[in-house]
Amino acid sequence: MNYFIIFMHPSEDSFNGAILRELTTQLEHKDHNVTISKLSMDWFNPQLSKKEYEASLQGSYSPIIVQEHEKVRQADRLIFIFPLWWGGFPAIGKGYIDRVFSYGFAYELEGEKPIPLLKDKKASLIFTTGTPASEFNNSGLYNHTVELIDKSIFQFCGITLDGVLHFGDVIQASKETREKMLQSTREFSKNVSA
């Protein structure tokens, strides 16, 4: 099975980085193919320029976007690892979606009706918040966040959301609590590789 991980945190030394290492180790241990785009480390430019936007409408993409398209194309499952900042992906992650999930690759339009082009893909989310998980869930923000990503990105492109893992209160979490979170990541890796 081919996995493509999109890592959106600016630092690999973060807890998101620990999640990335744990997940990658578990998937590779099961002899899966794992490709990773570490957006900040790869110096991915999140800005969709007017020139690039207009070119994408004509089916023309820059080499870096073609490279990312190929990673998506080869993957059976996409896994997004990110901290939730200001209610969404970090800016580099939003820019990645803007540039890579482009017209002619991820979707087309028939009039105003979207035609999804990534129907054979599954996606999973692993994300962290500073807010405790119970508070995040009780406020309705968990459901809102997952539903927004699913409906406005995945469903729009034909991708099936299959698996969400959320860790709250990560900034203040103790070493023992973080170890339990990494254990949950190991369990999650079993579910997404089944």
Side-chain angles (χ1 to χ4, degrees):
M1 199 143 156
N2 295 317
Y3 292 85
F4 177 34
I5 300 173
I6 299 101
F7 181 72
M8 298 179 176
H9 198 287
S11 173
E12 283 187 88
D13 294 331
S14 63
F15 186 63
N16 276 247
I19 292 168
L20 173 66
R21 288 187 294 278
E22 189 63 48
L23 181 67
T24 303
T25 299
Q26 295 302 316
L27 293 175
E28 288 177 342
H29 180 70
K30 297 177 180 122
D31 292 325
H32 295 301
N33 295 319
V34 180
T35 303
I36 306 167
S37 282
K38 300 173 185 174
L39 304 185
S40 288
M41 279 72 30
D42 296 340
W43 296 97
F44 184 84
N45 180 356
Q47 183 178 5
L48 174 63
S49 68
K50 179 180 183 218
K51 181 180 176 183
E52 182 179 3
Y53 167 73
E54 290 173 347
S56 73
L57 296 177
Q58 305 304 315
S60 178
Y61 312 103
S62 66
I64 191 163
I65 299 305
V66 170
Q67 178 182 318
E68 294 304 305
H69 283 174
E70 192 56 29
K71 292 175 185 177
V72 172
R73 193 175 281 118
Q74 294 296 320
D76 300 300
R77 181 182 296 269
L78 313 172
I79 302 176
F80 296 79
I81 300 176
F82 61 97
L84 189 75
W85 287 346
W86 299 108
F89 295 137
I92 201 165
K94 177 59 168 66
Y96 185 88
I97 298 296
D98 289 348
R99 294 185 68 200
V100 175
F101 283 60
S102 46
Y103 181 81
F105 172 72
Y107 72 98
E108 290 178 341
L109 294 173
E110 191 175 281
E112 289 299 312
K113 180 183 176 190
I115 309 297
L117 300 179
L118 298 176
K119 293 182 182 175
D120 61 336
K121 307 294 177 198
K122 290 184 177 178
S124 299
L125 303 173
I126 303 177
F127 70 99
T128 61
T129 58
T131 305
S134 58
E135 184 178 324
F136 192 69
N137 286 318
N138 292 339
S139 69
L141 286 172
Y142 173 89
N143 288 336
H144 173 76
T145 299
V146 172
E147 187 175 313
L148 182 65
I149 293 170
D150 187 29
K151 286 187 175 179
S152 62
I153 301 171
F154 297 155
Q155 290 181 30
F156 190 86
C157 299
I159 300 169
T160 302
L161 177 60
D162 182 36
V164 179
L165 185 59
H166 165 244
F167 297 118
D169 204 22
V170 294
I171 296 165
Q172 300 180 82
S174 66
K175 185 177 178 183
E176 293 75 20
T177 299
R178 287 186 174 206
E179 182 48 48
K180 288 177 184 174
M181 291 175 179
L182 293 177
Q183 178 59 42
S184 295
T185 303
R186 289 190 280 276
E187 293 301 317
F188 189 77
S189 75
K190 294 175 187 173
N191 294 333
V192 298
S193 64

